[in-house]
Amino acid sequence: MSDLPDLPVTFRPGSTRAVLLTAAVAILVVITAVAMLLKQLSPAERLSFVVTALLLDAVLLLLARPKVVADEDGVTVVNLTNKRRLEWAEILQVTLRPGDPWVFLNLSDGTSLPALGIQPGIAKQRAIADARALRALAEARSVADPERRHG
């Protein structure tokens, strides 16, 4: 069990996040610069350029939000617009099959929860390693404290 990550640990698509945040900054800078350089634009039109850039940035920041945080008591899954806290006993299985866009958590209530914080998009090997680490943590937590699973 020494190969388990130390808790708390946060899993997030680092490369994807870096690309999205860089794009957000670039979009804001370029569109704002264009708005200021176009002398024929009225102040309201310039403002509309900047507001459009901010709206695009908001979408990119939303796409950069996903993460999975594991701690001693359970897992917090932060997806695009929602956040869900799970106890370790609720997680029956962590899966990332070939072709899956992200990890899925099979839960004790019979549902499956997508965990967008681990996705093989740009960094496939990193996502596989993160999925294995989360799976190992879930299995270790369910075995280490079986009363939680049945309690």
Side-chain angles (χ1 to χ4, degrees):
M1 286 199 193
S2 61
D3 52 339
L4 291 177
D6 293 330
L7 296 177
V9 61
T10 300
F11 302 104
R12 66 172 19 134
S15 300
T16 302
R17 183 175 165 86
V19 168
L20 291 169
L21 296 177
T22 302
V25 170
I27 286 171
L28 183 61
V29 168
V30 169
I31 292 178
T32 301
V34 167
M36 296 306 141
L37 292 173
L38 293 175
K39 300 299 180 196
Q40 70 271 26
L41 295 180
S42 71
E45 290 171 325
R46 287 184 181 164
L47 180 62
S48 73
F49 270 64
V50 174
V51 168
T52 300
L54 291 172
L55 289 173
L56 290 170
D57 278 4
V59 171
L60 293 175
L61 293 175
L62 193 64
L63 292 172
R65 183 175 185 248
K67 65 182 175 179
V68 177
V69 181
D71 60 33
E72 292 294 335
D73 298 320
V75 174
T76 302
V77 177
V78 179
N79 286 332
L80 297 178
T81 59
N82 62 354
K83 178 178 175 179
R84 182 163 175 195
R85 178 72 183 164
L86 301 166
E87 292 185 21
W88 286 110
E90 294 178 80
I91 303 171
L92 300 180
Q93 188 178 29
V94 177
T95 62
L96 179 61
R97 297 173 301 228
D100 279 351
W102 40 71
V103 161
F104 288 91
L105 305 178
N106 294 328
L107 306 179
S108 59
D109 66 1
T111 63
S112 182
L113 177 67
L116 280 65
I118 303 174
Q119 49 184 269
I122 294 176
K124 184 176 182 179
Q125 294 308 314
R126 170 68 187 256
I128 291 170
D130 288 352
R132 286 181 179 152
L134 184 59
R135 181 181 304 124
L137 284 168
E139 290 171 358
R141 293 291 171 197
S142 66
V143 171
D145 193 356
E147 285 186 20
R148 280 175 133 167
R149 182 170 287 283
H150 303 295

